[in-house]
Amino acid sequence: MLTRRATFRAGIAALALAVTPAAFAPAALAQDGAPIKVGEINSYTRMAAFTEPYKKGWELALEEINAAGGIKGRPIEVLSRDDGGDPATAIRIADELVNRENVSLIFGTFLSNIGLAVSDFANQSQTLFIASEPLTDELIWASGNRYTYRLRPGTHMQAAMLAEQAAKTDAMTWAVIAPNYAYGTDAVEAFKRELTKLKPDVKFVEEQWPPLFNIDAGSTVRALEQSKPDGIFNVTFGGDLAKFVREGSLRGLFDDRVVVSLLSGEPEYLEPLGAEAPEGWIVTGYPGMDVDTPEHTPFAEAYQAKWGEAPKTGSIVGYNSMMTIKALLEKAPNLETETLLTTMEGLRVTAPTGDFLFRPVDNQATMGAWVGKTGIVDGAPVMVDWHYADGEDYLPSEADALKLRPENQ
Amino acid sequence: MMGFYFAQLLTGLANASSLFLIASGLSIIFGVTRVVNFAHGSLYMLGAYIAYSLVTTLPGVFGFWTGVILAAVATAFIGAAIEILILRRIYHSPELFQLVATFGVVLIVQDAALAIWGSEDLLGPRAPLLDRAVRIFGEPIPEYDLALIVIGPVVLGLIWLLFQRTRWGILVRAATQDREMVGALGVNQHVLFTSTFMVGSFLAGLGGALQVPRESVNLLMDLNIIGQAFVVVVIGGMGSVTGAFVAAVIISVANAFGVLVWPQISLILPFLVMAVVLIVRPYGLFGTPASAHGASVPEAPLRAMPPAGIAVAAIVAVGAALLPLADDGFLLVLGIDLLVAMLFAASLHLLMGVGGMVSFGHAAYFGLGAYAAALAVKSLGLPMLPAMLLGPVAAAFGAMVFGWFCVRLSGVYLAMLTLAAAQILWGITFQWQSVTGGDDGILGVWPARWASDRAVYFYIALALCGAGLLIIRRIAHSPFGYVLRGGRDSALRAEAIGIDLKAHQWLGFILAGALAGVAGSVFVFSKGSVFPDTLAIGHSVDGLIMVLLGGVQSLLGPLFGAAAFVLIEDWVMRLDHWRAIFGVIILAIVLLAPDGIAGGVGRLLTLLRLRRPA
């Protein structure tokens, strides 16, 4: 047994050496100049289309930070791992990063359930976790905890941005279509609530809940058509969205109707539709290279130079994640978790999207999103008539947010 | 209004055609080779990707249809390569072992598709000349849907001609009924099997290629279709092409009207239909009893562990107990995962290895245990230990309800009913948001304060899982275990000597479920949260792979299999392209040890003269 265990441990050690050579080499050096280790987890294989741009984003930021001398003379080292899309695996990896690799904090995750699993682990193991991409508002409200901060504008914020635009149209009867899981139901609930607040006499006449990535688009489109709504609120995405758009436009579902669609302006969702992308849908998203603010342009150009493609939503979320870590580590006097947590409260981050801060009351960043319409320019789908919606304006007030949080957090 | 329902019917029929194409290929392959081909979804995805590449290069109407056909042909050759290089070498392995190899292929194809076509969804062109909608009774119907409605029955007709009017078809039908007999009559089985696999792959590729004008081609297509394809095959009757067609129509039309009445139902509708059909007609609509099993060869009896084996087991147990001394912050985490996986795999092995009841949905009982324990803490406010007790109780109860239906079937049909049961439970946890949290799961289920130290929880896991493993060993060697094994090897003889086999199998099902529930409740406190993934098909398949990879004919098999699976996965996920590497490792094990790791170890010991040959 001894030999078996010894070989096993040697194997693991050899592996760790092979995978993260930098983790071991500088350990011999003095603390000065030794890298600051940061853990990162995401669904790189399961959700490749969304996590690839995200990874490119944080890698660009990391390169820039370390080229400029790192944080107080210490480079940042990211230990990045794939969770394969499974929450249990994500927790195992988080455990390894925190308890064996002794990282100072964890960031990342895309899928909501994995974000929640890691957030719960962070709470238990008293480690700071910056949830980059998950949209579920459970993370910051009902299941929020003091160790978890969330960067991207969540379901409620994005739905509120769209409800504001939807209220300006004269559509009175609405049909909704959303994937049949927590994200879909939360988004529909938020949209209904916000739109009814702005326009109390709207009516919701039809709901369709196709299974995620298995939509029977033809039948669903016809069920929506049957209810003859003035407006349609769509939450489907990815492959489902493509099918829905194809079947819907063939059957004339979108003719003379207001369509409001969550996230569909993000290049990850819009670009695959190509010339078939619907025009005039009201969406949240990211106009990419078209954003020409002084903060954004250098980022977009550097991104294009490094990766040979325009940045996507994931890119900017990844980049902003790393900028958050930079701001945090520069400001924090040491790497103790308690110090990091105090520093995170109200932390102001300079980023391509413009400055944002992390609200102390619910740990949500005030980073916003772009709201506009879909259009086709030169045969390629883009966002038109867009504006940047600052996240702060779409969050509940601090007093209301406090009521949403569990006690003693 | 009439027009509306007619249009909805046409939409359902168009979907039925696409579903039929992929399911018919799966059914033909199973009928002849008895391979439960998980890679069929991968072939479908490859067909779609290849067709995308071709139709975006070749111009016009001619180019489109040529591209579709060429894509199907290319997929057929990929299928042939899989059959010749891998499956052909393992046809003599225990029943279902080939499934492990196809699982390896799935992993490799996923990484290959990502490397070749990139991660972004690809939206191909619409079919030329069929890119608009026509009005029927005033309702717009896409022309391409009408084309599909024609293509489905045409393909069915061609397959019928091929089966009824050619010598090859006669041989295939004969092999579907009794492949040993066909072999004994001097038919070249190699050629027959390879050509069957090619025809099946061709149909999968055709199904994928014909989807290009309807949806974007993406990397999730393989796993999204495979569940439904199996459902259609089973409802129709394994090996029956006509059955697959009828089943595809039933499922698709039911769904087209189902979404009008109860939109949430599409999540579990196919599985509900399958469960009902299997309960009423145990071999599917067009299946026969012969289609349930391959030839069953009685297994060698279990042997008592020799003294040397007991010594090794004792040393392993002591070594495991000393593991906390060597902890580096992560070793114990891995240790707990390993124990959970071992008990989960061993409980599944009790069901399929000892009891001869293959389950494709064993994760349901693991998940029930995990959810029950989590809910006991969160809703009832129970402390950790009573909550952990509630896990297996709930799992046993679930197994009691579903097992009662399942043990009435046998072979692959039993396996598919367990899958349907698991999917229905999964659908409930997924949708019953107010109780289970839906996809957001249940959080904050951590060990009690006294057990919050990792080492303490490791000992709890070691004690519970170790006890579970010992109980399983005891059951296998008890008179009750003899009855199960006897029933597995010959149900007829067991019944003839007066044994109520169904009752014993039902009890075995409940025991296996309860033990999986123990694993589930140990699992939930080690992770702190539980999500519907624990009950999903993927997790059931993981268990199945562990058992088969380890060797289904040995009690130690699932332990080897679980250890190999967990340790290799933990290691390989650190690498780029880990899915391809994992797939290659699995294929290597499969080819080197066609009777599983336990069988391979046994042969190695015999070779080293440490054990007398069996």
Side-chain angles (χ1 to χ4, degrees):
Chain A
M1 189 57 214
L2 197 85
T3 48
R4 189 175 143 193
R5 197 172 73 214
T7 8
F8 174 63
R9 293 189 64 204
I12 293 277
L15 211 82
L17 265 174
V19 177
T20 56
F24 280 76
L29 302 174
Q31 188 64 20
D32 299 331
I36 302 173
K37 288 208 273 185
V38 171
E40 197 275 341
I41 302 170
N42 220 325
S43 309
Y44 288 112
T45 47
R46 176 106 173 88
M47 289 283 147
F50 309 104
T51 48
E52 250 176 37
Y54 155 85
K55 186 166 197 175
K56 287 176 176 169
W58 68 251
E59 281 184 345
L60 171 66
L62 179 67
E63 195 181 270
E64 289 175 358
I65 292 167
N66 286 343
I71 308 291
K72 300 170 197 161
R74 296 175 67 182
I76 299 179
E77 186 198 337
V78 177
L79 306 183
S80 169
R81 298 277 304 267
D82 174 28
D83 60 38
D86 175 38
T89 308
I91 295 178
R92 176 162 81 205
I93 292 169
D95 219 325
E96 184 180 355
L97 290 172
V98 170
N99 291 319
R100 184 196 269 169
E101 304 291 353
N102 298 315
V103 296
S104 301
L105 61 104
I106 308 176
F107 75 103
T109 73
F110 174 82
L111 297 168
S112 288
N113 57 4
I114 294 185
L116 286 166
V118 175
S119 127
D120 194 44
F121 170 80
N123 189 31
Q124 176 74 4
S125 64
Q126 305 182 347
T127 308
L128 172 61
F129 168 47
I130 300 170
S132 301
E133 299 193 273
L135 289 168
T136 177
D137 291 320
E138 283 271 315
L139 264 181
I140 48 162
W141 296 330
S143 302
N145 63 59
R146 63 188 288 260
Y147 296 94
T148 302
Y149 282 77
R150 199 257 303 269
L151 175 66
R152 192 175 174 198
T155 312
H156 169 89
M157 294 164 77
Q158 308 233 10
M161 291 171 191
L162 287 178
E164 183 184 55
Q165 302 301 317
K168 291 180 191 163
T169 67
D170 32 351
M172 294 308 293
T173 55
W174 287 84
V176 301
I177 168 169
N180 194 353
Y181 74 112
Y183 166 60
T185 43
D186 292 350
V188 166
E189 201 184 309
F191 181 77
K192 280 184 176 172
R193 190 175 55 234
E194 295 300 314
L195 184 59
T196 318
K197 229 183 258 173
L198 296 168
K199 236 178 157 178
D201 43 353
V202 291
K203 267 204 206 101
F204 288 88
V205 292
E206 171 70 23
E207 296 183 355
Q208 279 297 316
W209 301 98
L212 180 64
F213 298 142
N214 246 332
I215 188 174
D216 175 356
S219 310
T220 310
V221 161
R222 301 204 31 80
L224 291 174
E225 175 71 48
Q226 191 197 19
S227 68
K228 308 273 178 234
D230 302 334
I232 296 170
F233 176 60
N234 166 59
V235 192
T236 63
F237 58 93
D240 287 343
L241 178 65
K243 264 171 144 175
F244 177 59
V245 166
R246 261 209 168 152
E247 296 291 331
S249 31
L250 261 180
R251 290 174 163 87
L253 177 67
F254 311 128
D255 301 349
D256 303 319
R257 291 213 168 96
V258 178
V259 182
V260 175
S261 192
L262 201 63
L263 302 185
S264 306
E266 299 194 343
E268 285 91 333
Y269 302 110
L270 196 56
E271 278 177 10
L273 298 177
E276 285 184 42
E279 292 184 69
W281 283 20
I282 302 169
V283 293
T284 55
Y286 171 51
M289 300 299 285
D290 292 348
V291 181
D292 54 357
T293 59
E295 308 90 57
H296 185 269
T297 308
F299 155 75
E301 280 169 1
Y303 188 91
Q304 187 142 37
K306 182 166 169 66
W307 301 111
E309 60 184 41
K312 298 183 174 177
T313 314
S315 321
I316 200 145
V317 174
Y319 193 87
N320 280 0
S321 305
M322 197 46 81
M323 295 319 272
T324 302
I325 291 167
K326 172 175 181 250
L328 167 69
L329 295 179
E330 272 173 351
K331 198 173 166 201
N334 61 52
L335 296 177
E336 297 300 318
T337 298
E338 284 303 323
T339 318
L340 295 180
L341 288 177
T342 328
T343 317
M344 276 306 285
E345 281 184 29
L347 181 74
R348 188 162 275 282
V349 180
T350 312
T353 46
D355 287 10
F356 59 86
L357 57 82
F358 284 88
R359 300 211 306 183
V361 62
D362 56 8
N363 298 1
Q364 168 67 38
T366 59
M367 174 184 163
W370 284 265
V371 182
K373 287 186 172 175
T374 54
I376 306 277
V377 173
D378 301 330
V382 289
M383 275 179 81
V384 293
D385 302 336
W386 46 264
H387 66 275
Y388 180 71
D390 194 352
E392 186 139 33
D393 304 335
Y394 300 91
L395 277 165
S397 73
E398 303 219 339
D400 287 344
L402 196 61
K403 279 182 230 152
L404 294 168
R405 300 266 295 182
E407 283 171 46
N408 311 321
Q409 292 284 356
Chain B
M1 214 53 209
M2 195 50 221
F4 175 80
Y5 288 115
F6 185 69
Q8 200 70 351
L9 178 70
L10 290 183
T11 307
L13 289 177
N15 289 337
S17 277
S18 6
L19 204 48
F20 161 68
L21 287 177
I22 174 158
S24 59
L26 191 61
S27 198
I28 293 172
I29 290 176
F30 178 83
V32 174
T33 65
R34 300 283 153 191
V35 173
V36 174
N37 184 18
F38 272 157
H40 210 68
S42 307
L43 293 168
Y44 166 83
M45 178 169 83
L46 283 175
Y49 268 114
I50 297 170
Y52 172 85
S53 295
L54 290 172
V55 300
T56 44
T57 328
L58 305 169
V61 185
F62 179 75
F64 176 83
W65 293 103
T66 314
V68 167
I69 299 292
L70 283 180
V73 171
T75 315
F77 280 102
I78 295 170
I82 295 172
E83 202 275 343
I84 292 170
L85 295 176
I86 304 159
L87 295 175
R88 176 175 291 182
R89 290 157 211 280
I90 51 173
Y91 282 129
H92 293 291
S93 298
E95 195 178 10
L96 289 177
F97 185 72
Q98 300 83 4
L99 178 154
V100 182
T102 61
F103 177 77
V105 172
V106 169
L107 291 171
I108 295 172
V109 170
Q110 280 177 336
D111 251 0
L114 175 63
I116 298 172
W117 286 282
S119 62
E120 196 171 277
D121 293 7
L122 304 173
L123 193 65
R126 289 189 170 138
L129 298 185
L130 296 172
D131 51 356
R132 277 194 293 266
V134 291
R135 298 220 162 238
I136 297 179
F137 294 127
E139 300 281 338
I141 308 287
E143 293 163 343
Y144 191 71
D145 276 16
L146 296 175
L148 281 180
I149 293 174
V150 175
I151 290 172
V154 166
V155 171
L156 176 64
L158 289 176
I159 297 176
W160 187 84
L161 283 178
L162 187 66
F163 276 23
Q164 304 292 329
R165 293 285 179 266
T166 66
R167 178 178 155 74
W168 182 83
I170 292 168
L171 292 179
V172 165
R173 282 188 293 137
T176 306
Q177 280 189 359
D178 190 338
R179 75 175 188 197
E180 273 68 32
M181 192 65 200
V182 172
L185 291 173
V187 173
N188 184 340
Q189 294 221 14
H190 280 330
V191 175
L192 187 63
F193 280 27
T194 307
S195 54
T196 308
F197 213 87
M198 281 182 82
V199 170
S201 307
F202 178 88
L203 290 168
L206 185 64
L210 286 173
Q211 279 307 95
V212 170
R214 303 184 94 203
E215 62 178 303
S216 63
V217 184
N218 62 65
L219 294 167
L220 302 173
M221 286 177 91
D222 53 346
L223 297 179
N224 287 337
I225 194 77
I226 191 72
Q228 282 209 2
F230 270 115
V231 167
V232 169
V233 170
V234 169
I235 293 178
M238 306 286 287
S240 164
V241 177
T242 321
F245 185 80
V246 174
V249 169
I250 292 176
I251 292 284
S252 303
V253 173
N255 197 49
F257 288 100
V259 298
L260 297 177
V261 188
W262 189 17
Q264 279 91 341
I265 199 166
S266 47
L267 197 62
I268 54 167
L269 182 87
F271 295 94
L272 270 180
V273 175
M274 176 164 87
V276 172
V277 168
L278 283 183
I279 289 166
V280 180
R281 285 188 64 92
Y283 303 107
L285 296 175
F286 291 78
T288 55
S291 61
H293 289 281
S296 61
V297 183
E299 283 181 24
L302 291 175
R303 288 190 292 188
M305 203 176 250
I310 294 175
V312 171
I315 294 171
V316 170
V318 172
L322 292 177
L323 198 62
L325 297 179
D327 187 30
D328 62 349
F330 180 62
L331 215 50
L332 288 183
V333 177
L334 201 59
I336 295 170
D337 280 4
L338 200 57
L339 287 167
V340 168
M342 280 179 170
L343 182 56
F344 177 51
S347 70
L348 175 59
H349 180 258
L350 174 65
L351 197 60
M352 62 186 271
V354 178
M357 295 173 278
V358 178
S359 171
F360 284 1
H362 202 53
Y365 310 105
F366 180 91
L368 268 182
Y371 267 96
L375 285 172
V377 171
K378 284 284 148 186
S379 303
L380 305 178
L382 287 183
M384 180 178 83
L385 286 182
M388 284 179 112
L389 196 68
L390 214 60
V393 171
F397 182 73
M400 197 166 86
V401 174
F402 292 114
W404 192 84
F405 294 101
C406 292
V407 298
R408 258 132 257 279
L409 308 183
S410 64
V412 175
Y413 294 102
L414 189 159
M416 296 312 282
L417 190 57
T418 58
L419 175 70
Q423 275 305 94
I424 290 165
L425 277 175
W426 173 82
I428 292 171
T429 49
F430 202 67
Q431 296 205 327
W432 199 7
Q433 226 166 333
S434 56
V435 174
T436 62
D439 187 52
D440 285 345
I442 300 174
L443 307 177
V445 193
W446 294 99
R449 191 175 297 271
W450 61 269
S452 62
D453 184 68
R454 189 57 59 60
V456 176
Y457 194 74
F458 174 78
Y459 283 120
I460 294 176
L462 186 64
L464 287 174
C465 295
L469 293 175
L470 286 177
I471 290 172
I472 289 173
R473 192 168 179 84
R474 186 73 200 87
I475 293 174
H477 285 283
S478 71
F480 175 73
Y482 275 86
V483 172
L484 282 184
R485 281 147 56 196
R488 170 198 68 197
D489 289 339
S490 175
L492 206 60
R493 287 180 204 171
E495 299 261 7
I497 57 172
I499 291 170
D500 183 352
L501 189 57
K502 293 286 168 243
H504 282 84
Q505 287 183 329
W506 190 30
L507 190 55
F509 202 99
I510 296 170
L511 279 171
L515 287 159
V518 174
S521 46
V522 173
F523 164 85
V524 69
F525 284 98
S526 76
K527 299 293 174 196
S529 51
V530 60
F531 299 90
D533 307 58
T534 49
L535 292 91
I537 298 182
H539 193 221
S540 292
V541 171
D542 284 354
L544 209 57
I545 301 294
M546 290 177 203
V547 172
L548 291 168
L549 194 64
V552 76
Q553 291 176 341
S554 156
L555 284 177
L556 288 176
L559 308 189
F560 287 135
F565 192 86
V566 171
L567 295 180
I568 295 174
E569 191 186 52
D570 180 65
W571 165 66
V572 87
M573 280 185 84
R574 293 150 205 268
L575 313 175
D576 289 335
H577 305 292
W578 66 265
R579 288 179 298 186
I581 300 170
F582 198 20
V584 169
I585 294 175
I586 286 180
L587 289 184
I589 297 178
V590 163
L591 294 178
L592 287 174
D595 39 2
I597 299 175
V601 170
R603 273 183 289 120
L604 195 68
L605 288 179
T606 314
L607 207 66
L608 298 173
R609 295 176 189 285
L610 292 173
R611 198 177 93 177
R612 272 172 291 130

